[in-house]
Amino acid sequence: MMHAHEALIQVREGRDFPPPRQILNRVKPDDACRLVPFVSRSLAELVWHTDFWQQIWLARLEGSRARSITEDWYRPGPEEWEATRDRFLLNLDRAVEIAETGQHRMKSDEIAERVLLQIAVHNTYHVGQWVLVKRALRNDRD
């Protein structure tokens, strides 16, 4: 699981882009939930969605029942922002831990590594969106 571990570390530590913790740090709840012109999702909604899929894949890795995909695309309110952000970060740490320790409930390490790589790739895709949404939020104030 060396490759998945390295990919997840690159996502979490932001080797080629700012790390998620830095991107999400100091975002005010109202800004996180604000929609800007030409962007169909708020930052909070994108973070919630990204973590939703992390939760599904982590459940599979841990041998737990996964959430239904029909629950996807929830729009959290400002009062839910900090919990949404913190849950994403904790679950990313959990994915890194599984990749590092190899402790999973999948049928093989190969299958587990594929699932961990899904987390890394999906997170990376959305982290890029977060940066663009933050930029749009700043530009919308001007």
Side-chain angles (χ1 to χ4, degrees), residues 115-133:
V115 173
L116 289 163
L117 286 168
Q118 282 181 289
I119 293 172
V121 170
H122 186 256
N123 284 0
T124 302
Y125 173 81
H126 287 297
V127 165
Q129 288 181 318
W130 302 351
V131 171
L132 293 174
V133 170

Side-chain angles (χ1 to χ4, degrees), residues 8-126:
L8 287 161
I9 289 293
Q10 287 187 30
V11 172
R12 186 178 69 180
E13 305 305 322
R15 296 212 179 130
D16 292 328
F17 48 82
R21 189 172 306 279
Q22 180 183 329
I23 294 166
L24 302 176
N25 190 30
R26 296 185 311 210
V27 174
K28 295 176 184 171
D30 288 337
D31 285 339
C33 297
R34 184 162 51 96
L35 291 172
V36 291
F38 308 108
V39 179
S40 62
R41 309 276 186 194
S42 70
L43 178 61
E45 192 173 359
L46 288 167
V47 173
W48 189 96
H49 163 81
T50 308
D51 186 54
F52 174 81
W53 283 96
Q54 270 192 147
Q55 290 175 43
I56 287 175
W57 290 316
L58 286 169
R60 290 177 186 164
L61 286 159
E62 295 171 336
S64 308
R65 183 182 171 124
R67 299 174 68 169
S68 168
I69 62 171
T70 62
E71 299 174 44
D72 200 358
W73 291 115
Y74 173 72
R75 183 169 285 167
E79 69 284 353
E80 299 171 280
W81 167 240
E82 288 182 14
T84 298
R85 177 197 60 211
D86 294 348
R87 187 175 47 252
F88 168 82
L89 294 169
L90 285 171
N91 284 332
L92 178 55
D93 287 342
R94 179 68 184 126
V96 169
E97 181 183 324
I98 291 170
E100 184 175 39
T101 64
Q103 295 182 348
H104 61 80
R105 305 286 303 263
M106 305 296 292
K107 290 182 181 180
S108 71
D109 284 350
E110 182 180 324
I111 295 169
E113 184 160 38
R114 268 193 244 129
V115 173
L116 289 163
L117 286 168
Q118 282 181 289
I119 293 172
V121 170
H122 186 256
N123 284 0
T124 302
Y125 173 81
H126 287 297

